[in-house]
Amino acid sequence: AVLGVIPKVEGADKLAHRAFQEAYQSLRTSVIFSSKNRQRRVVLFTSTGPQEGKSSTVANLARTLAATGEAVLIVDCDLRRPTQHALHGVERDQGLTNYLAAPVERTDWTPYVKQGAHPTLHLLSCGPVPPSPPELLGSERFSELLVSLREEYDWILLDSPPATSLTDASLLAAVADMVVLVVHHNKTDRDVTARTLQRLREVNPAVVGAVLNNVDLDRAYNKDYYYAGYYYTDEEGDKRVKKRSRVEPQAKVG
């Protein structure tokens, strides 16, 4: 299932673009509908390979959820190339790895949580990059942390490393309530994506869908692609104009 289609938007101020905003509002709705009445609230975001927009998808969805008053926590579980701290303008140090490596008796995780752009948006940054990320992510202490976080937040979004060649994503999928795959449109190899999906489903059957990222809607519409959604405004930006767009058919998996 396609949970959302994120359009390619040029310029630095993407968040001000109406098409971009509507795309994430649609993604927010899809995630909520996939959550089984909020029973599934720990959501893992991963991708097949690097540079697919996984981390920015997590950051922007978190802002969209928090804008409606939801209590949202981003946990940067990409312990190899963390980026969430940069996306939110906070320090990377004193984060997840600090807590996981702390003495057993130190169970209070709140000192490691940082404030985001919205009052209800928080971030647990990576912390120092560890020598062995799987050892920390597969630990009992990490599982216990997620149990505690569930009691405090409406949504917990896990930013994971790519799933193709690393075990980190599989470890995280095992403790997440549901998994979302971010796919860079017209870039990611379909066969590799299919194998990634199969691998994730072996760990967690609740792979609820994919996010097509960086979709060039003008280009997609001019070609004979399948229907994707409505994401256009007119030149003045005041009147919304609906226009059918198309994206390439994805490989059938499962």
Side-chain angles (χ1 to χ4, degrees), residues 69-83:
E70 304 266 23
V72 184
L73 175 69
I74 298 174
V75 184
D76 195 345
C77 299
D78 190 341
L79 305 185
R80 301 173 189 270
R81 292 186 176 180
T83 58

Side-chain angles (χ1 to χ4, degrees), residues 91-117:
E91 295 295 327
R92 188 189 73 184
D93 292 339
Q94 294 303 310
L96 176 62
T97 56
N98 295 96
Y99 174 76
L100 296 178
V104 177
E105 63 273 11
R106 190 179 301 173
T107 59
D108 185 10
W109 46 266
T110 57
Y112 302 98
V113 173
K114 300 173 176 65
Q115 179 66 54

Side-chain angles (χ1 to χ4, degrees), residues 105-230:
E105 63 273 11
R106 190 179 301 173
T107 59
D108 185 10
W109 46 266
T110 57
Y112 302 98
V113 173
K114 300 173 176 65
Q115 179 66 54
H118 295 276
T120 59
L121 174 59
H122 294 153
L123 170 66
L124 185 54
S125 59
C126 166
V129 175
S132 179
E135 185 176 345
L136 293 179
L137 297 176
S139 66
E140 183 178 354
R141 187 175 177 88
F142 181 71
S143 298
E144 292 172 350
L145 172 63
L146 291 182
V147 172
S148 180
L149 294 177
R150 288 173 190 270
E151 299 176 359
E152 300 294 330
Y153 292 95
D154 298 316
W155 298 100
I156 303 162
L157 308 185
L158 308 181
D159 185 1
S160 161
T164 302
S165 59
L166 301 174
T167 61
D168 304 34
S170 296
L171 290 170
L172 292 167
V175 295
D177 296 333
M178 55 184 181
V179 181
V180 176
L181 188 66
V182 178
V183 179
H184 192 295
H185 180 240
N186 271 348
K187 177 182 178 182
T188 309
D189 183 85
R190 296 180 188 175
D191 292 337
V192 176
T193 300
R195 290 196 295 270
T196 301
L197 282 169
Q198 181 179 1
R199 181 177 177 181
L200 290 170
R201 284 173 175 153
E202 290 173 354
V203 180
N204 188 340
V207 180
V208 295
V211 176
L212 290 182
N213 191 39
N214 204 43
V215 178
D216 189 336
L217 295 178
D218 282 324
R219 182 182 176 188
Y221 181 74
N222 291 333
K223 293 185 177 181
D224 191 20
Y225 293 172
Y226 288 138
Y227 169 79
Y230 299 91

Side-chain angles (χ1 to χ4, degrees), residues 59-73:
N60 292 326
L61 176 61
R63 294 185 183 104
T64 305
L65 287 166
T68 62
E70 304 266 23
V72 184
L73 175 69

